[in-house]
Amino acid sequence: MVGGGGAGGADGDVLVNAAPVPLRGVPALGAGAPITDAAASVRRDGDTVVLENDLARFTLDARGRVVSAVDLASGREAIAPGESAGLQLFRDTPNRWDAWDIDEHYRRHEEELDAVVSLEADESHAAVRVTRSVGESTIEQEFTLAPDTPTLEITTRVDWHERQRLLKFAFPLDVRAERAASEVQFGHVYRPTHENTSWDAARFETSAHRWVHVGEPGYSIAVANDSTYGHDISRRTRRGGGTMTLVRQSLLRAPLFPDPEADQGEHVVRSSLTLGAELEDAVAAGYALNLPLRAVAAPIEPLVAVDGDGVLVESVKLAEDRSGDVIVRLYEALGRRTSATVRFGFPVGSVVQTDLLEQPLEDPDGFDAGTNILSVRPFQVVTLRLRSA
C-alpha cells in the first residue's frame, strides 16, 4: 500500500515523508506522528557491542566491524562464517585515465581496516560510533538501528587525504546469489555474480543507483547507499563449504590526474544493510537514505497518493509550458504487471496522459481517466498532466 494521510493528531513536531513509499509508519508523500526509539537498544557484551530491536540483532567486535547480523524473524545469520563487514583499503593505480578508470588489479592489494582510535556505545540513541586513523586521514563511522526495521544504517564521515587509494565498505553475506539486482532509473537490472566468461569477468565494478539486492531462494538482503554508486559483487568460497556473496561499495578514491586534489577533504556517505529484504524492501531502503524523514511543526496532506504495490510517484511538478497544470510522473519499480489507483489531494478538472515532453498521447496506454485506475507494464513510466477544476 502506497498512500498518504495527515499527521494523525500528533502533538508538536510531525515527521514528513517525501518518499513515494511508507517509511517507519509515516505514509508515502505524507506526514505522521513521531515514532519513539525506545524499542531499539545498544549494550556491551564483553569485547563486543550489540545493537538490537524486535526484528534484528547486529554485533560489532572490538575492531568496530560487524561480525554478526541476525534476522530474528527467521533466525538467519547474514554475515558469512569467519567474516566481518567493514572498511577495506586498496592501492588504486589504473594503467590509464587515473580519475576515470578502476583497474581489476586493485584487488591484489587489500587491507582490512581494523585499527580503532575509539569505540563508543550511545545507549540514548541506539548507536555505536567508531573512529579510525588511516594514513593522513580520519574516518568516523556511526552505526544506528531504528526501532521497527531490520536495517542497520551506517554513516561514514571521512576527512580524506590519501593518494591513489580506494576506500570500500565490504558486506560478506551468507547467501548464494546467482545474480544481483542493481537499481537504475525507473527500475533495476540483473547481473550475474559469476566470472565464467570474459565479459562477466570484465564487470568487476558495476553501477547501482540507490540499492543492490542479492539472495537465494527463500532469503534476500539489500544494501543501499545515498551517494556512492560503484559496487563490486562477487561469489567467494565460504568457510565451512559452499559459496557466499561479497557486496562492496566504493566510497572514495584519490586520483592524481587530471586534478591532484581530487576527492581531498571532508565527505559524508550513508549506507544501510537490510535483512530479509524483498525487492520492495530494497526500494524502500534506498528511498529511506536518499529522502529521509524530516520533522515539521504542522501536518501536511499529500498532493498525490497511490493505492497499489510497486507503482511509485517519482515527481510532482508544474508543467514546463507555465500553464499552471501539474505534472505527475509514476513508474513501476518491481518489474511486474500491476494496477493501482491514483488519488489527488486537490481538485482536479481533467487528467491527460502525456509523453515525457508533456505532450498528450494520441493513444493513451493503461490509464482510465474516469476511475483514475492505472494499469502498467514492468518498469513502465507514466506521465499524467492534471488541470485544476
Tab-separated table of all heavy atoms in Angstrom, residues 162-182:
chain	number	residue	atom	x	y	z
A	162	GLU	N	44.350	10.875	1.322
A	162	GLU	CA	45.179	9.810	0.758
A	162	GLU	C	45.490	10.094	-0.706
A	162	GLU	O	44.896	10.986	-1.325
A	162	GLU	CB	44.473	8.461	0.904
A	162	GLU	CG	44.132	8.110	2.345
A	162	GLU	CD	45.328	8.232	3.263
A	162	GLU	OE1	46.315	7.515	3.037
A	162	GLU	OE2	45.285	9.059	4.205
A	163	ARG	N	46.400	9.341	-1.272
A	163	ARG	CA	46.781	9.468	-2.682
A	163	ARG	C	46.745	8.081	-3.320
A	163	ARG	O	47.335	7.136	-2.792
A	163	ARG	CB	48.189	10.061	-2.825
A	163	ARG	CG	48.366	11.418	-2.146
A	163	ARG	CD	47.595	12.517	-2.847
A	163	ARG	NE	47.779	13.808	-2.189
A	163	ARG	CZ	47.185	14.936	-2.543
A	163	ARG	NH1	46.339	14.934	-3.566
A	163	ARG	NH2	47.415	16.053	-1.902
A	164	GLN	N	46.029	7.982	-4.430
A	164	GLN	CA	45.928	6.738	-5.194
A	164	GLN	C	45.519	5.568	-4.290
A	164	GLN	O	46.110	4.496	-4.305
A	164	GLN	CB	47.248	6.442	-5.915
A	164	GLN	CG	47.552	7.463	-7.008
A	164	GLN	CD	48.774	7.107	-7.808
A	164	GLN	OE1	49.830	6.831	-7.247
A	164	GLN	NE2	48.640	7.105	-9.138
A	165	ARG	N	44.495	5.805	-3.512
A	165	ARG	CA	43.911	4.768	-2.659
A	165	ARG	C	42.411	4.682	-2.945
A	165	ARG	O	41.777	5.682	-3.316
A	165	ARG	CB	44.130	5.058	-1.167
A	165	ARG	CG	45.565	5.329	-0.785
A	165	ARG	CD	46.505	4.183	-1.059
A	165	ARG	NE	46.265	3.017	-0.231
A	165	ARG	CZ	46.799	2.838	0.978
A	165	ARG	NH1	47.573	3.776	1.512
A	165	ARG	NH2	46.583	1.733	1.647
A	166	LEU	N	41.860	3.510	-2.749
A	166	LEU	CA	40.435	3.249	-2.967
A	166	LEU	C	39.853	2.718	-1.668
A	166	LEU	O	40.334	1.717	-1.127
A	166	LEU	CB	40.244	2.233	-4.098
A	166	LEU	CG	38.841	1.663	-4.324
A	166	LEU	CD1	37.845	2.757	-4.688
A	166	LEU	CD2	38.871	0.590	-5.418
A	167	LEU	N	38.820	3.387	-1.164
A	167	LEU	CA	38.165	3.000	0.081
A	167	LEU	C	36.834	2.329	-0.243
A	167	LEU	O	36.009	2.892	-0.970
A	167	LEU	CB	37.936	4.223	0.969
A	167	LEU	CG	37.291	3.970	2.337
A	167	LEU	CD1	38.241	3.186	3.242
A	167	LEU	CD2	36.890	5.300	2.997
A	168	LYS	N	36.634	1.139	0.289
A	168	LYS	CA	35.394	0.395	0.070
A	168	LYS	C	34.807	-0.057	1.401
A	168	LYS	O	35.528	-0.186	2.396
A	168	LYS	CB	35.632	-0.844	-0.810
A	168	LYS	CG	35.792	-0.551	-2.304
A	168	LYS	CD	36.044	-1.828	-3.085
A	168	LYS	CE	36.013	-1.594	-4.592
A	168	LYS	NZ	34.651	-1.575	-5.128
A	169	PHE	N	33.482	-0.293	1.381
A	169	PHE	CA	32.824	-0.932	2.512
A	169	PHE	C	32.356	-2.301	2.048
A	169	PHE	O	31.605	-2.413	1.082
A	169	PHE	CB	31.634	-0.105	3.021
A	169	PHE	CG	31.210	-0.503	4.410
A	169	PHE	CD1	31.493	0.298	5.505
A	169	PHE	CD2	30.529	-1.689	4.632
A	169	PHE	CE1	31.113	-0.072	6.785
A	169	PHE	CE2	30.149	-2.065	5.909
A	169	PHE	CZ	30.431	-1.258	6.995
A	170	ALA	N	32.797	-3.348	2.735
A	170	ALA	CA	32.539	-4.729	2.316
A	170	ALA	C	31.460	-5.367	3.176
A	170	ALA	O	31.477	-5.246	4.413
A	170	ALA	CB	33.825	-5.551	2.399
A	171	PHE	N	30.514	-6.057	2.511
A	171	PHE	CA	29.468	-6.827	3.183
A	171	PHE	C	29.596	-8.289	2.726
A	171	PHE	O	29.104	-8.648	1.653
A	171	PHE	CB	28.077	-6.306	2.823
A	171	PHE	CG	27.807	-4.888	3.245
A	171	PHE	CD1	28.092	-3.833	2.384
A	171	PHE	CD2	27.268	-4.603	4.485
A	171	PHE	CE1	27.835	-2.529	2.757
A	171	PHE	CE2	27.010	-3.293	4.868
A	171	PHE	CZ	27.293	-2.252	4.003
A	172	PRO	N	30.267	-9.161	3.487
A	172	PRO	CA	30.360	-10.578	3.127
A	172	PRO	C	29.088	-11.305	3.584
A	172	PRO	O	28.933	-11.620	4.773
A	172	PRO	CB	31.596	-11.057	3.889
A	172	PRO	CG	31.683	-10.142	5.065
A	172	PRO	CD	31.054	-8.844	4.688
A	173	LEU	N	28.181	-11.575	2.660
A	173	LEU	CA	26.839	-12.035	3.001
A	173	LEU	C	26.703	-13.544	2.801
A	173	LEU	O	27.156	-14.096	1.785
A	173	LEU	CB	25.817	-11.293	2.140
A	173	LEU	CG	25.878	-9.765	2.241
A	173	LEU	CD1	24.888	-9.118	1.293
A	173	LEU	CD2	25.639	-9.301	3.681
A	174	ASP	N	26.059	-14.186	3.744
A	174	ASP	CA	25.933	-15.645	3.723
A	174	ASP	C	24.708	-16.058	2.906
A	174	ASP	O	23.779	-16.696	3.413
A	174	ASP	CB	25.829	-16.180	5.152
A	174	ASP	CG	26.080	-17.678	5.217
A	174	ASP	OD1	26.541	-18.240	4.203
A	174	ASP	OD2	25.797	-18.283	6.270
A	175	VAL	N	24.713	-15.682	1.633
A	175	VAL	CA	23.704	-16.122	0.667
A	175	VAL	C	24.436	-16.525	-0.612
A	175	VAL	O	25.480	-15.963	-0.948
A	175	VAL	CB	22.646	-15.037	0.349
A	175	VAL	CG1	21.779	-14.752	1.559
A	175	VAL	CG2	23.315	-13.753	-0.142
A	176	ARG	N	23.877	-17.492	-1.321
A	176	ARG	CA	24.452	-17.923	-2.587
A	176	ARG	C	23.648	-17.276	-3.716
A	176	ARG	O	22.655	-17.827	-4.188
A	176	ARG	CB	24.423	-19.444	-2.712
A	176	ARG	CG	25.130	-19.962	-3.955
A	176	ARG	CD	24.973	-21.458	-4.096
A	176	ARG	NE	25.753	-21.967	-5.226
A	176	ARG	CZ	25.350	-21.944	-6.493
A	176	ARG	NH1	24.159	-21.419	-6.794
A	176	ARG	NH2	26.118	-22.430	-7.455
A	177	ALA	N	24.061	-16.095	-4.096
A	177	ALA	CA	23.327	-15.328	-5.106
A	177	ALA	C	23.869	-15.628	-6.498
A	177	ALA	O	25.054	-15.431	-6.763
A	177	ALA	CB	23.434	-13.835	-4.823
A	178	GLU	N	23.017	-16.102	-7.381
A	178	GLU	CA	23.420	-16.337	-8.763
A	178	GLU	C	23.437	-15.043	-9.569
A	178	GLU	O	24.128	-14.951	-10.579
A	178	GLU	CB	22.475	-17.339	-9.424
A	178	GLU	CG	22.547	-18.724	-8.802
A	178	GLU	CD	21.703	-19.724	-9.553
A	178	GLU	OE1	21.010	-19.330	-10.516
A	178	GLU	OE2	21.743	-20.912	-9.183
A	179	ARG	N	22.687	-14.047	-9.110
A	179	ARG	CA	22.648	-12.759	-9.782
A	179	ARG	C	22.347	-11.686	-8.752
A	179	ARG	O	21.894	-11.972	-7.636
A	179	ARG	CB	21.596	-12.735	-10.885
A	179	ARG	CG	20.164	-12.955	-10.379
A	179	ARG	CD	19.170	-12.954	-11.513
A	179	ARG	NE	17.797	-13.015	-11.009
A	179	ARG	CZ	16.718	-12.927	-11.782
A	179	ARG	NH1	16.856	-12.777	-13.098
A	179	ARG	NH2	15.504	-12.978	-11.252
A	180	ALA	N	22.612	-10.448	-9.109
A	180	ALA	CA	22.339	-9.305	-8.242
A	180	ALA	C	21.458	-8.320	-8.990
A	180	ALA	O	21.660	-8.078	-10.186
A	180	ALA	CB	23.642	-8.625	-7.816
A	181	ALA	N	20.486	-7.761	-8.300
A	181	ALA	CA	19.649	-6.707	-8.864
A	181	ALA	C	20.233	-5.361	-8.458
A	181	ALA	O	20.495	-5.124	-7.275
A	181	ALA	CB	18.212	-6.826	-8.373
A	182	SER	N	20.466	-4.497	-9.436
A	182	SER	CA	21.003	-3.158	-9.180
A	182	SER	C	20.020	-2.120	-9.700
A	182	SER	O	19.556	-2.232	-10.840
A	182	SER	CB	22.360	-2.984	-9.882
A	182	SER	OG	23.298	-3.924	-9.412
